[in-house]
Coordinates of all heavy atoms in Angstrom, one line a residue:
M1 N 12.7 -11.1 -8.7 CA 12.8 -9.8 -8.3 C 13.0 -9.9 -6.7 O 12.4 -10.6 -6.0 CB 11.5 -9.1 -8.6 CG 11.5 -7.6 -8.2 SD 10.0 -6.9 -8.8 CE 10.7 -5.7 -9.9
D2 N 13.9 -9.0 -6.1 CA 14.2 -9.0 -4.7 C 13.7 -7.6 -4.2 O 13.6 -6.7 -4.8 CB 15.7 -9.1 -4.4 CG 16.2 -10.6 -4.8 OD1 15.4 -11.5 -4.7 OD2 17.3 -10.7 -5.1
C3 N 13.5 -7.7 -2.9 CA 13.1 -6.5 -2.2 C 13.9 -6.4 -0.9 O 14.1 -7.6 -0.3 CB 11.6 -6.4 -1.9 SG 10.9 -7.7 -1.0
A4 N 14.4 -5.3 -0.5 CA 15.3 -5.2 0.7 C 14.4 -5.1 1.9 O 13.5 -4.3 2.0 CB 16.2 -4.0 0.6
H5 N 14.8 -5.7 3.0 CA 14.2 -5.6 4.4 C 15.3 -5.5 5.4 O 16.5 -6.0 5.2 CB 13.4 -6.9 4.7 CG 12.3 -7.1 3.7 ND1 11.1 -6.3 3.7 CD2 12.1 -7.9 2.6 CE1 10.3 -6.7 2.8 NE2 10.9 -7.6 2.1
W6 N 15.0 -4.9 6.5 CA 15.9 -4.9 7.6 C 15.2 -5.5 8.8 O 14.0 -5.2 9.0 CB 16.3 -3.4 7.9 CG 17.1 -2.8 6.8 CD1 18.4 -2.9 6.5 CD2 16.6 -2.1 5.7 NE1 18.8 -2.2 5.4 CE2 17.6 -1.7 4.9 CE3 15.3 -1.6 5.4 CZ2 17.5 -0.9 3.8 CZ3 15.2 -0.8 4.3 CH2 16.2 -0.5 3.5
S7 N 15.9 -6.1 9.6 CA 15.4 -6.6 10.9 C 15.2 -5.5 11.8 O 15.9 -4.5 11.8 CB 16.2 -7.8 11.6 OG 17.3 -7.1 12.2
A8 N 14.3 -5.6 12.7 CA 13.9 -4.5 13.6 C 15.0 -4.1 14.5 O 15.4 -2.9 14.7 CB 12.7 -4.9 14.5
L9 N 15.8 -5.1 15.0 CA 16.9 -4.8 15.9 C 18.1 -4.1 15.1 O 18.7 -3.3 15.6 CB 17.5 -6.1 16.6 CG 16.5 -6.6 17.7 CD1 17.1 -7.9 18.2 CD2 16.4 -5.5 18.7
E10 N 18.3 -4.5 13.7 CA 19.2 -3.9 13.0 C 18.8 -2.4 12.8 O 19.7 -1.5 12.8 CB 19.4 -4.6 11.6 CG 20.1 -5.9 11.8 CD 20.1 -6.7 10.5 OE1 19.2 -6.5 9.6 OE2 21.1 -7.4 10.3
L11 N 17.5 -2.1 12.6 CA 17.1 -0.8 12.4 C 17.3 0.0 13.6 O 17.6 1.3 13.6 CB 15.5 -0.7 12.0 CG 15.3 -1.2 10.6 CD1 13.8 -1.2 10.4 CD2 15.8 -0.2 9.6
L12 N 17.2 -0.6 14.8 CA 17.3 0.1 16.1 C 18.8 0.2 16.4 O 19.1 1.0 17.2 CB 16.7 -0.7 17.2 CG 15.2 -0.8 17.1 CD1 14.7 -1.7 18.2 CD2 14.6 0.6 17.4
G13 N 19.7 -0.4 15.7 CA 21.1 -0.3 15.8 C 21.6 -1.2 16.9 O 22.7 -1.0 17.5
V14 N 20.8 -2.2 17.4 CA 21.1 -3.0 18.5 C 22.1 -4.0 18.1 O 23.1 -4.4 18.7 CB 19.8 -3.7 19.1 CG1 20.2 -4.6 20.1 CG2 19.0 -2.6 19.6
M15 N 21.9 -4.5 16.9 CA 22.8 -5.6 16.4 C 23.7 -5.1 15.3 O 23.2 -4.5 14.4 CB 22.0 -6.8 15.8 CG 21.2 -7.5 16.8 SD 20.1 -8.8 16.1 CE 21.2 -9.8 15.4
G16 N 24.9 -5.4 15.4 CA 25.9 -4.9 14.4 C 26.8 -6.0 14.3 O 27.5 -6.4 15.2
G17 N 26.9 -6.7 13.1 CA 27.8 -7.8 12.9 C 28.7 -7.6 11.7 O 28.7 -6.5 11.1
P18 N 29.4 -8.6 11.3 CA 30.1 -8.6 10.1 C 29.2 -8.2 8.9 O 28.2 -8.9 8.8 CB 30.9 -9.8 10.0 CG 30.1 -10.8 10.8 CD 29.4 -10.0 11.9
G19 N 29.7 -7.4 8.0 CA 29.0 -7.1 6.8 C 27.9 -6.0 7.0 O 27.1 -5.8 6.1
T20 N 27.9 -5.3 8.2 CA 26.8 -4.3 8.4 C 27.6 -3.0 8.4 O 28.8 -2.8 8.7 CB 26.2 -4.5 9.8 OG1 27.1 -4.5 10.8 CG2 25.5 -5.8 9.9
A21 N 26.8 -2.1 7.9 CA 27.3 -0.7 8.0 C 26.5 0.2 8.9 O 25.3 0.3 8.7 CB 27.1 0.0 6.5
N22 N 27.1 0.7 9.9 CA 26.4 1.4 11.0 C 25.3 0.6 11.6 O 24.2 1.1 12.0 CB 25.8 2.7 10.4 CG 26.9 3.6 9.9 OD1 28.0 3.7 10.4 ND2 26.6 4.4 8.9
G23 N 25.5 -0.7 11.8 CA 24.5 -1.6 12.4 C 23.3 -1.9 11.6 O 22.4 -2.5 12.0
V24 N 23.3 -1.6 10.3 CA 22.2 -1.9 9.4 C 22.7 -2.8 8.3 O 23.7 -2.4 7.6 CB 21.5 -0.7 8.8 CG1 20.5 -1.0 8.0 CG2 21.0 0.2 10.0
S25 N 22.2 -3.9 8.0 CA 22.5 -4.7 6.8 C 21.2 -5.1 6.1 O 20.2 -5.2 6.8 CB 23.2 -6.0 7.2 OG 22.4 -6.9 7.9
A26 N 21.3 -5.2 4.8 CA 20.1 -5.5 4.0 C 19.9 -7.0 4.0 O 20.8 -7.7 3.9 CB 20.3 -4.9 2.6
V27 N 18.7 -7.4 4.1 CA 18.3 -8.8 4.0 C 17.3 -8.8 2.9 O 16.3 -8.1 2.9 CB 17.7 -9.3 5.3 CG1 17.3 -10.7 5.2 CG2 18.6 -9.1 6.5
T28 N 17.4 -9.8 2.0 CA 16.5 -9.9 0.8 C 15.6 -11.1 0.9 O 15.9 -12.1 1.7 CB 17.3 -9.9 -0.5 OG1 18.1 -11.1 -0.5 CG2 18.1 -8.7 -0.7
C29 N 14.4 -10.9 0.3 CA 13.6 -12.1 0.3 C 13.2 -12.3 -1.2 O 13.1 -11.3 -2.0 CB 12.3 -11.9 1.1 SG 11.2 -10.6 0.5
R30 N 12.7 -13.5 -1.6 CA 12.3 -13.8 -2.9 C 10.8 -13.5 -3.0 O 10.1 -14.0 -2.2 CB 12.7 -15.1 -3.3 CG 14.1 -15.5 -3.2 CD 14.7 -15.8 -4.5 NE 16.1 -16.1 -4.3 CZ 17.1 -15.4 -4.9 NH1 16.8 -14.3 -5.6 NH2 18.3 -15.7 -4.7
Q31 N 10.3 -13.0 -4.1 CA 8.9 -12.8 -4.4 C 8.4 -13.9 -5.2 O 9.0 -14.3 -6.2 CB 8.6 -11.5 -5.1 CG 8.9 -10.2 -4.3 CD 8.4 -9.0 -5.0 OE1 8.4 -9.0 -6.2 NE2 8.1 -8.0 -4.3
R32 N 7.2 -14.4 -4.9 CA 6.5 -15.3 -5.7 C 5.1 -14.7 -5.9 O 4.2 -14.9 -5.1 CB 6.4 -16.7 -5.1 CG 7.7 -17.4 -5.0 CD 7.5 -18.8 -4.5 NE 8.8 -19.3 -4.2 CZ 9.1 -20.2 -3.3 NH1 8.1 -20.6 -2.5 NH2 10.3 -20.7 -3.1
G33 N 4.9 -13.9 -6.9 CA 3.6 -13.3 -7.1 C 3.3 -12.2 -6.0 O 2.2 -11.8 -5.7
G34 N 4.4 -11.8 -5.3 CA 4.2 -10.7 -4.3 C 3.8 -11.2 -3.0 O 3.7 -10.4 -2.0
Q35 N 3.4 -12.4 -2.8 CA 2.9 -12.9 -1.5 C 4.0 -12.9 -0.4 O 3.7 -12.6 0.7 CB 2.2 -14.3 -1.7 CG 0.9 -14.2 -2.3 CD 0.1 -15.5 -2.2 OE1 0.8 -16.6 -2.0 NE2 -1.1 -15.6 -2.4
V36 N 5.2 -13.4 -0.7 CA 6.2 -13.6 0.3 C 6.6 -12.3 0.9 O 6.5 -12.0 2.0 CB 7.5 -14.3 -0.2 CG1 8.5 -14.3 0.8 CG2 7.0 -15.7 -0.6
C37 N 6.9 -11.2 0.0 CA 7.3 -9.9 0.5 C 6.0 -9.3 1.1 O 6.2 -8.5 2.0 CB 7.8 -9.1 -0.7 SG 9.5 -9.4 -1.0
G38 N 4.8 -9.5 0.6 CA 3.6 -8.9 1.3 C 3.5 -9.5 2.7 O 3.2 -8.6 3.6
E39 N 3.7 -10.7 2.8 CA 3.6 -11.3 4.2 C 4.7 -10.8 5.1 O 4.4 -10.5 6.3 CB 3.7 -12.8 4.1 CG 3.5 -13.6 5.4 CD 3.6 -15.1 5.2 OE1 3.2 -15.6 4.1 OE2 3.8 -15.7 6.2
V40 N 5.9 -10.6 4.5 CA 7.0 -10.0 5.3 C 6.7 -8.7 5.8 O 6.9 -8.3 6.9 CB 8.3 -10.1 4.5 CG1 9.5 -9.4 5.2 CG2 8.7 -11.6 4.3
H41 N 6.2 -7.8 4.9 CA 5.8 -6.4 5.2 C 4.7 -6.4 6.2 O 4.9 -5.7 7.2 CB 5.3 -5.8 3.9 CG 6.3 -5.3 3.0 ND1 7.2 -4.3 3.2 CD2 6.7 -5.9 1.8 CE1 8.1 -4.2 2.2 NE2 7.8 -5.1 1.3
L42 N 3.7 -7.3 6.1 CA 2.7 -7.3 7.1 C 3.2 -7.7 8.5 O 2.9 -7.0 9.5 CB 1.6 -8.3 6.7 CG 0.4 -8.5 7.7 CD1 -0.3 -7.2 7.9 CD2 -0.5 -9.5 7.2
N43 N 4.0 -8.7 8.6 CA 4.7 -9.2 9.8 C 5.5 -8.0 10.4 O 5.6 -7.9 11.7 CB 5.4 -10.4 9.6 CG 4.6 -11.7 9.5 OD1 3.5 -11.7 9.9 ND2 5.2 -12.7 8.8
F44 N 6.2 -7.4 9.6 CA 7.1 -6.3 10.0 C 6.3 -5.1 10.5 O 6.6 -4.6 11.7 CB 8.0 -5.8 8.9 CG 9.0 -4.7 9.3 CD1 10.1 -5.1 10.2 CD2 8.9 -3.5 8.9 CE1 11.0 -4.1 10.5 CE2 9.8 -2.5 9.3 CZ 10.9 -2.8 10.1
L45 N 5.2 -4.8 9.9 CA 4.3 -3.7 10.4 C 3.7 -4.0 11.7 O 3.5 -3.2 12.6 CB 3.4 -3.4 9.3 CG 3.8 -2.7 8.0 CD1 2.7 -2.5 7.0 CD2 4.4 -1.3 8.4
L46 N 3.2 -5.3 11.8 CA 2.6 -5.8 13.0 C 3.7 -5.7 14.2 O 3.4 -5.3 15.3 CB 2.1 -7.1 12.9 CG 0.8 -7.3 12.0 CD1 0.4 -8.8 11.8 CD2 -0.4 -6.5 12.7
F47 N 5.0 -6.1 13.9 CA 5.9 -6.0 14.9 C 6.2 -4.6 15.3 O 6.4 -4.3 16.5 CB 7.3 -6.6 14.4 CG 8.5 -6.5 15.3 CD1 8.6 -7.2 16.4 CD2 9.4 -5.4 15.0 CE1 9.7 -6.9 17.3 CE2 10.4 -5.3 15.9 CZ 10.6 -6.0 17.0
L48 N 6.4 -3.7 14.3 CA 6.5 -2.2 14.6 C 5.4 -1.7 15.4 O 5.7 -0.9 16.3 CB 6.7 -1.4 13.4 CG 8.0 -1.6 12.7 CD1 8.0 -0.7 11.3 CD2 9.1 -1.2 13.5
H49 N 4.2 -2.1 15.2 CA 3.0 -1.6 16.0 C 3.2 -2.1 17.4 O 3.0 -1.3 18.4 CB 1.7 -2.1 15.3 CG 0.5 -1.5 15.9 ND1 -0.2 -2.1 16.9 CD2 -0.1 -0.3 15.7 CE1 -1.2 -1.3 17.3 NE2 -1.2 -0.3 16.5
R50 N 3.5 -3.3 17.7 CA 3.7 -3.9 18.9 C 4.8 -3.2 19.6 O 4.8 -2.9 20.9 CB 3.9 -5.4 18.9 CG 2.7 -6.2 18.6 CD 2.9 -7.7 18.9 NE 4.0 -8.3 18.2 CZ 4.0 -8.9 17.0 NH1 2.7 -9.0 16.4 NH2 5.0 -9.4 16.4
L51 N 5.9 -3.0 18.9 CA 7.1 -2.3 19.5 C 6.8 -0.8 20.0 O 7.1 -0.5 21.0 CB 8.1 -2.2 18.4 CG 9.5 -1.5 18.8 CD1 10.2 -2.4 19.9 CD2 10.4 -1.3 17.6
A52 N 6.0 -0.1 19.1 CA 5.5 1.3 19.4 C 4.7 1.2 20.7 O 4.9 2.1 21.6 CB 4.8 1.8 18.3
E53 N 3.8 0.3 20.8 CA 2.9 0.2 22.0 C 3.7 -0.1 23.2 O 3.6 0.5 24.2 CB 1.9 -0.8 21.8 CG 0.7 -0.5 20.8 CD -0.2 -1.6 20.6 OE1 0.0 -2.8 21.2 OE2 -1.3 -1.4 20.1
E54 N 4.6 -1.1 23.1 CA 5.4 -1.5 24.3 C 6.4 -0.3 24.7 O 6.6 -0.1 25.9 CB 6.2 -2.7 24.0 CG 7.0 -3.3 25.2 CD 6.1 -3.9 26.2 OE1 4.9 -4.4 25.9 OE2 6.5 -3.9 27.3
A55 N 7.0 0.4 23.7 CA 7.9 1.4 24.0 C 7.1 2.6 24.7 O 7.7 3.2 25.6 CB 8.6 2.0 22.7
R56 N 5.9 2.8 24.2 CA 5.1 3.9 24.8 C 4.7 3.6 26.3 O 4.8 4.5 27.1 CB 3.8 4.1 24.0 CG 2.9 5.2 24.5 CD 1.7 5.4 23.5 NE 0.6 5.9 24.2 CZ -0.4 5.1 24.8 NH1 -0.3 3.9 24.7 NH2 -1.4 5.7 25.4
T57 N 4.4 2.3 26.6 CA 4.2 1.9 27.8 C 5.4 2.0 28.8 O 5.3 2.5 29.9 CB 3.7 0.4 27.8 OG1 2.6 0.3 27.0 CG2 3.4 -0.1 29.2
N58 N 6.6 1.7 28.3 CA 7.8 1.8 29.0 C 8.1 3.3 29.4 O 8.5 3.6 30.4 CB 9.0 1.3 28.2 CG 9.0 -0.3 28.2 OD1 8.3 -0.9 28.9 ND2 9.8 -0.8 27.3
A59 N 7.9 4.1 28.4 CA 8.1 5.6 28.6 C 7.1 6.1 29.7 O 7.4 6.9 30.6 CB 7.9 6.4 27.3
F60 N 5.8 5.7 29.6 CA 4.8 6.1 30.6 C 5.1 5.6 31.9 O 5.0 6.4 32.9 CB 3.4 5.5 30.1 CG 2.3 5.9 31.0 CD1 1.8 7.3 31.0 CD2 1.8 5.0 31.9 CE1 0.7 7.7 31.8 CE2 0.7 5.4 32.8 CZ 0.3 6.7 32.7
E61 N 5.7 4.3 32.0 CA 6.0 3.8 33.3 C 7.2 4.5 33.9 O 7.4 4.7 35.2 CB 6.5 2.3 33.2 CG 5.2 1.4 33.0 CD 5.5 0.0 32.8 OE1 6.8 -0.3 32.6 OE2 4.7 -0.9 32.6
N62 N 8.0 5.1 33.1 CA 9.2 5.8 33.6 C 8.9 7.4 33.7 O 9.8 8.2 34.0 CB 10.4 5.8 32.7 CG 11.0 4.3 32.7 OD1 10.9 3.6 33.7 ND2 11.6 3.9 31.6
K63 N 7.6 7.7 33.6 CA 7.1 9.0 33.7 C 7.8 10.0 32.7 O 8.2 11.2 33.0 CB 7.2 9.6 35.1 CG 6.4 8.8 36.1 CD 6.6 9.2 37.5 CE 5.6 8.3 38.3 NZ 6.2 8.1 39.7
S64 N 8.0 9.5 31.6 CA 8.6 10.3 30.5 C 7.6 10.5 29.4 O 6.9 9.6 29.0 CB 9.8 9.5 29.9 OG 10.3 10.2 28.7
K65 N 7.6 11.7 28.9 CA 6.6 12.1 27.9 C 7.2 11.8 26.5 O 6.5 11.8 25.5 CB 6.3 13.6 27.9 CG 5.5 14.0 29.1 CD 5.1 15.5 29.1 CE 4.3 15.7 30.3 NZ 3.9 17.2 30.4
I66 N 8.5 11.6 26.5 CA 9.3 11.3 25.1 C 9.6 9.9 25.2 O 10.2 9.3 26.2 CB 10.4 12.2 25.0 CG1 9.9 13.7 25.0 CG2 11.2 11.9 23.8 CD1 11.1 14.6 24.9
I67 N 9.5 9.2 24.1 CA 9.9 7.8 23.9 C 11.4 7.9 23.5 O 11.8 8.3 22.5 CB 9.1 7.0 22.9 CG1 7.6 6.8 23.3 CG2 9.7 5.6 22.7 CD1 6.8 6.3 22.2
K68 N 12.2 7.4 24.5 CA 13.7 7.4 24.2 C 14.2 6.1 23.7 O 13.5 5.1 23.8 CB 14.4 7.7 25.6 CG 13.9 9.1 26.2 CD 14.6 9.4 27.5 CE 14.2 10.7 28.0 NZ 14.6 11.0 29.3
P69 N 15.4 6.1 23.1 CA 16.0 4.9 22.7 C 16.0 3.7 23.6 O 15.7 2.5 23.2 CB 17.4 5.3 22.2 CG 17.3 6.7 21.9 CD 16.3 7.2 22.8
E70 N 16.2 4.0 24.9 CA 16.2 2.9 25.9 C 14.9 2.3 26.1 O 14.8 1.0 26.3 CB 16.9 3.3 27.2 CG 16.2 4.6 27.8 CD 16.9 5.9 27.5 OE1 17.6 5.9 26.5 OE2 16.7 6.8 28.2
H71 N 13.8 3.0 25.9 CA 12.5 2.5 26.0 C 12.2 1.6 24.8 O 11.7 0.5 25.0 CB 11.4 3.6 25.9 CG 11.6 4.6 27.1 ND1 11.5 6.0 26.9 CD2 11.8 4.4 28.4 CE1 11.6 6.6 28.1 NE2 11.8 5.6 29.0
T72 N 12.7 1.9 23.7 CA 12.5 1.2 22.4 C 13.3 -0.1 22.5 O 12.8 -1.2 22.2 CB 12.9 1.9 21.2 OG1 12.1 3.2 21.2 CG2 12.4 1.2 19.9
I73 N 14.5 -0.1 23.0 CA 15.4 -1.2 23.1 C 14.8 -2.2 24.1 O 14.7 -3.4 23.9 CB 16.8 -0.9 23.4 CG1 17.4 -0.1 22.2 CG2 17.6 -2.1 23.8 CD1 18.8 0.6 22.5
A74 N 14.3 -1.7 25.3 CA 13.7 -2.6 26.3 C 12.5 -3.3 25.7 O 12.2 -4.4 26.0 CB 13.5 -1.8 27.6
A75 N 11.7 -2.5 25.0 CA 10.5 -3.0 24.4 C 10.8 -4.1 23.4 O 10.2 -5.2 23.3 CB 9.7 -1.9 23.7
A76 N 11.8 -3.9 22.6 CA 12.2 -4.9 21.6 C 12.7 -6.2 22.3 O 12.3 -7.3 21.8 CB 13.4 -4.4 20.7
K77 N 13.3 -6.1 23.4 CA 13.8 -7.3 24.1 C 12.5 -8.1 24.6 O 12.5 -9.3 24.5 CB 14.7 -6.9 25.2 CG 16.1 -6.5 24.7 CD 17.0 -6.1 25.8 CE 18.3 -5.5 25.3 NZ 19.2 -5.2 26.4
V78 N 11.6 -7.4 25.2 CA 10.4 -8.0 25.7 C 9.6 -8.7 24.6 O 9.2 -9.8 24.7 CB 9.6 -7.0 26.4 CG1 8.2 -7.5 26.7 CG2 10.2 -6.5 27.7
I79 N 9.4 -8.0 23.5 CA 8.7 -8.5 22.4 C 9.4 -9.8 21.8 O 8.7 -10.8 21.5 CB 8.4 -7.5 21.3 CG1 7.5 -6.4 21.8 CG2 7.9 -8.1 20.0 CD1 7.3 -5.2 20.9
L80 N 10.6 -9.7 21.6 CA 11.4 -10.8 21.1 C 11.4 -12.1 22.0 O 11.3 -13.2 21.5 CB 12.8 -10.4 20.7 CG 13.0 -9.5 19.5 CD1 14.4 -9.1 19.4 CD2 12.5 -10.1 18.2
K81 N 11.4 -11.8 23.3 CA 11.3 -12.9 24.3 C 9.9 -13.5 24.2 O 9.8 -14.8 24.2 CB 11.5 -12.4 25.7 CG 12.9 -12.2 26.0 CD 13.1 -11.8 27.5 CE 14.5 -11.6 27.9 NZ 14.7 -11.2 29.3
K82 N 8.9 -12.7 24.0 CA 7.5 -13.3 23.9 C 7.4 -14.1 22.6 O 6.6 -15.1 22.5 CB 6.5 -12.1 23.9 CG 6.3 -11.5 25.2 CD 5.2 -10.4 25.1 CE 5.0 -9.8 26.5 NZ 4.1 -8.6 26.4
S83 N 8.0 -13.6 21.5 CA 7.9 -14.3 20.2 C 8.6 -15.6 20.2 O 8.2 -16.5 19.4 CB 8.3 -13.4 19.1 OG 9.7 -13.3 19.0
R84 N 9.7 -15.8 21.0 CA 10.4 -17.0 21.0 C 9.6 -18.1 21.8 O 9.8 -19.3 21.5 CB 11.7 -16.8 21.7 CG 12.7 -16.0 20.9 CD 14.0 -16.0 21.5 NE 14.9 -15.0 20.8 CZ 15.5 -14.1 21.3 NH1 15.6 -14.0 22.6 NH2 16.2 -13.3 20.6
G85 N 8.7 -17.7 22.6 CA 7.8 -18.8 23.3 C 8.2 -18.9 24.7 O 8.9 -18.6 25.5

């Protein structure tokens, strides 16, 4: 059984490559008793939480009450740099 996932940058529309529609492409993972997809979901939710916090911080630093797409994109770049090491 497969479940569909999207990378965070694809959801943000930052990355668009061949085989994508409007910057979003489906990526599938294989389930083994639900653990692999459960782990992927957890990692994705943790990433989204960090992304939201960083985007909120960026908006606050720019004295904006609204989180705009540029705040989210900048936050995604910072988080991805940190995750690479």
